[in-house]
Amino acid sequence: MSTVTTDPHAHGDHHDEHHHSPPAGLKRWLYTTNHKDIGTLYLLFALTMFFIGGAMAMVIRAELFQPGLQLVQADFFNQMTTVHGLIMVFGAVMPAFTGLANWLIPMMIGAPDMALPRMNNWSFWILPFAFSILLASLFMEGGGPGFGWTFYAPLSTKYSGDSTALFVFSVHIMGISSIMGAINVIVTIFNLRAPGMTWMKMPLFVWTWLITAFLLIAVMPVLAGTVTMVLTDKYFGTSFFDAAGGGDPVLFQHIFWFFGHPEVYIMILPAFGIVSSIVPTFARKPLFGYASMVYATSSIALLSFLVWAHHMFTTGMPVFAELFFMYCTMLIAVPTGVKVFNWVATMWRGAMTFEVPMMFALAFIVLFTIGGLSGLMLAITPADFQYHDTYFVVAHFHYVLVTGAIFSIIAAAYYWLPKWTGHMYDETLGQWHFWCSLISVNMLFFPMHFVGLAGMPRRIPDYALQFADFNAFISIGGFAFGLSQLIFVWVLVKCIRGGEKATAQVWEGAEGLEWELPSPPPYHSFTTPPHVK
């Protein structure tokens, strides 16, 4: 591993200390251009959205606890599934990863801050407005969007409610935020690496985020184009997606998924970076196959543009297209398998300990792999004819997004929290959080494979009687998983307020520039760049 020398005066001497401390009160957060403050804002925003999106999932699971229509109207149920998806994707997972990028990338590459600090402030502060618009639409006459987070035409055009314009506007603002965040990450990594921090010495988290940023810049404009065509089809008489006017509703799906499939890799590549940071620390061994990890990440990113129509096997595509997308989808499993192999090889014969970050990282490896394997099943075109639009698909993507993306974010929070706050978190509470989450999340999502294979359709507020027992069990798992996250909030609050003081290195075996800084780090990370040898 690389060794580091740091100038002892790197953190500013006393006479200019007052220039380096933040202003007090609300203005600090409103006007801040500091990467740590902005990272904190993103993370707290993501946590808030996680609970709002989670509350919507609780409405869904309460309605599905028993067959028949109990609690909500079918239309409101559709609004819940739609807004739950939008909030979890654009409000919880993506801002959480952006918050981690802001906090960690400058510290990991030995930079004083992000390269474009004012743009950084703006890219965060437009997000609360975007989500206020989206959530406000739920309380307006006619309700919020109810056409699924994938907003397929003509559900989102001809048959949608008046809130569609607000939905489009809010998605545009989210997209602008993502593009600015991605530009910032790229410019920072290209220009602000410390002397000696060559490309192949960068931590894997930095690599995965760099590649994610290029994916964001490539596909967010496609999403912007899609929602704009929905807007003009609905309000301005165009017919991009209307066959009566010469358009094509299946065209919508092609354009949407050309954004949507790279998007799901945007939501998992940073998770790979996090797990690649945590596993070597607690195995006390360098990451196995560093270079192959970088190449695997790049391969996944490139292949992600060639698989979009696997979401559309049942739309009546030509057989050649079905075969092409089937083979490409199966091919993308190869670099993903390389990663899983490398994580396992890193742990092989390591001196392993099982602190909370490692527990979540291990759960990630096992459960993400389950989600990956069900993805391979879905990739097989004739089999997908049976799985498509059933709860099997719901099980698949929640394994990769909840036990994948969300578990990695939780692992990252436990891993870097002592660095951020200067205090150790409560290990016992953390273990409780882990075991409650692990057991409940599998009660929640594993049985969905079975009801899906037995033919239960997605996104429907009612179901046939034979699915009743399974759904009651799934709902109990859902409520338990939701409640388990309150333990996490308790851990966070307790840790921020105080606790055992953390050392600079925090974890015995942790390597990297961020562990050279004191815990908590100074307001400006590296005022003189460290030299990486």
Side-chain angles (χ1 to χ4, degrees):
M1 291 297 284
S2 54
T3 54
V4 181
T5 54
T6 312
D7 178 349
H9 303 295
H11 311 307
D13 29 36
H14 291 293
H15 74 102
D16 65 353
E17 199 57 40
H18 60 277
H19 296 300
H20 288 283
S21 57
L26 188 67
K27 282 187 171 177
R28 164 185 175 176
W29 300 102
L30 210 52
Y31 299 151
T32 183
T33 54
N34 181 280
H35 75 99
K36 301 187 185 78
D37 286 354
I38 293 170
T40 302
L41 285 169
Y42 267 112
L43 288 164
L44 291 174
F45 176 79
L47 187 66
T48 308
M49 286 296 138
F50 181 54
F51 277 96
I52 293 173
M56 293 176 183
M58 296 300 94
V59 173
I60 294 167
R61 283 321 319 170
E63 177 56 63
L64 293 172
F65 185 71
Q66 288 182 300
L69 294 175
Q70 269 81 234
L71 301 172
V72 295
Q73 300 290 329
D75 190 42
F76 186 74
F77 183 90
N78 292 346
Q79 292 171 44
M80 288 293 96
T81 53
T82 302
V83 182
H84 162 75
L86 288 166
I87 281 190
M88 289 309 207
V89 169
F90 296 110
V93 174
M94 291 170 73
F97 281 140
T98 313
L100 291 168
N102 266 298
W103 248 108
L104 298 170
I105 289 173
M107 296 200 297
M108 286 179 161
I109 63 174
D113 206 307
M114 294 294 276
L116 304 163
R118 292 182 183 210
M119 190 169 81
N120 207 9
N121 173 294
W122 198 48
S123 62
F124 172 75
W125 277 111
I126 61 177
L127 276 182
F129 292 95
F131 285 93
S132 302
I133 291 167
L134 179 64
L135 288 167
S137 72
L138 290 168
F139 299 99
M140 294 177 192
E141 201 182 337
F147 33 66
W149 87 271
T150 53
F151 59 100
Y152 277 18
L155 294 176
S156 57
T157 52
K158 187 177 287 184
Y159 303 111
S160 65
D162 294 334
S163 58
T164 307
L166 293 171
F167 154 77
V168 169
F169 189 36
S170 118
V171 168
H172 269 306
I173 301 172
M174 298 169 201
I176 292 166
S177 168
S178 287
I179 288 172
M180 288 195 297
I183 290 170
N184 218 338
V185 165
I186 291 169
V187 176
T188 303
I189 295 170
F190 268 73
N191 293 303
L192 297 185
R193 297 193 312 272
M197 173 70 71
T198 55
W199 288 110
M200 293 311 270
K201 277 188 189 165
M202 294 197 313
L204 245 255
F205 179 76
V206 179
W207 260 117
T208 54
W209 239 112
L210 179 65
I211 290 163
T212 301
F214 278 106
L215 281 179
L216 277 165
I217 286 176
V219 303
M220 288 321 267
V222 179
L223 175 66
T226 318
V227 292
T228 305
M229 285 184 268
V230 164
L231 187 78
T232 59
D233 265 20
K234 180 159 180 66
Y235 297 99
F236 300 108
T238 56
S239 43
F240 292 109
F241 309 131
D242 182 5
D248 180 3
V250 179
L251 173 67
F252 172 90
Q253 297 184 32
H254 280 289
I255 304 170
F256 175 82
W257 285 115
F258 189 77
F259 145 79
H261 204 82
E263 163 66 24
V264 300
Y265 287 99
I266 287 163
M267 291 191 283
I268 206 68
L269 291 182
F272 293 163
I274 290 164
V275 173
S276 303
S277 301
I278 292 174
V279 169
T281 296
F282 296 103
R284 287 159 184 79
K285 279 175 64 192
L287 184 69
F288 182 87
Y290 171 89
S292 68
M293 287 298 233
V294 174
Y295 299 134
T297 310
S298 312
S299 313
I300 289 171
L302 288 170
L303 284 168
S304 76
F305 288 102
L306 301 175
V307 297
W308 78 88
H310 65 212
H311 298 269
M312 303 166 55
F313 282 149
T314 57
T315 55
M317 287 192 295
V319 174
F320 174 79
E322 308 246 275
L323 287 169
F324 174 85
F325 287 108
M326 174 170 78
Y327 290 135
C328 283
T329 304
M330 300 193 82
L331 196 60
I332 210 165
V334 176
T336 315
V338 168
K339 286 180 166 296
V340 174
F341 174 82
N342 284 357
W343 292 322
V344 174
T346 302
M347 294 185 280
W348 178 250
R349 301 182 74 177
M352 287 173 71
T353 53
F354 299 97
E355 287 85 349
V356 182
M358 185 60 160
M359 299 296 268
F360 274 103
L362 286 169
F364 170 97
I365 294 169
V366 175
L367 299 174
F368 170 79
T369 303
I370 291 175
L373 289 171
S374 64
L376 268 175
M377 294 170 67
L378 288 157
I380 300 164
T381 307
D384 182 72
F385 279 32
Q386 300 289 13
Y387 307 144
H388 185 79
D389 254 333
T390 70
Y391 260 82
F392 189 85
V393 180
V394 179
H396 157 69
F397 70 74
H398 283 88
Y399 264 88
V400 290
L401 284 173
V402 180
T403 61
I406 299 282
F407 269 31
S408 80
I409 291 162
I410 294 171
Y414 281 107
Y415 185 58
W416 282 291
L417 200 59
K419 172 58 64 186
W420 299 336
T421 63
H423 305 127
M424 293 306 289
Y425 61 84
D426 184 324
E427 182 72 26
T428 311
L429 274 181
Q431 293 282 350
W432 270 100
H433 174 222
F434 171 75
W435 287 107
C436 290
S437 296
L438 182 77
I439 293 163
S440 59
V441 83
N442 284 292
M443 285 176 63
L444 167 57
F445 295 123
F446 204 79
M448 287 185 184
H449 293 105
F450 302 130
V451 287
L453 290 176
M456 181 171 161
R458 299 170 61 176
R459 294 171 165 158
I460 311 288
D462 193 4
Y463 51 83
L465 292 175
Q466 67 263 32
F467 303 126
D469 294 349
F470 268 93
N471 272 285
F473 184 82
I474 289 167
S475 286
I476 291 164
F479 301 138
F481 183 69
L483 288 169
S484 303
Q485 305 323 303
L486 296 173
I487 308 174
F488 183 46
V489 175
W490 186 15
V491 171
L492 293 174
V493 170
K494 200 173 161 184
C495 183
I496 290 165
R497 290 171 80 173
E500 184 198 333
K501 286 271 177 266
T503 59
Q505 195 186 9
V506 182
W507 309 108
E508 176 213 339
E511 301 253 7
L513 287 181
E514 75 266 37
W515 309 109
E516 305 283 325
L517 291 167
S519 303
Y523 199 56
H524 297 288
S525 302
F526 289 98
T527 41
T528 39
H531 285 267
V532 182
K533 295 194 175 66

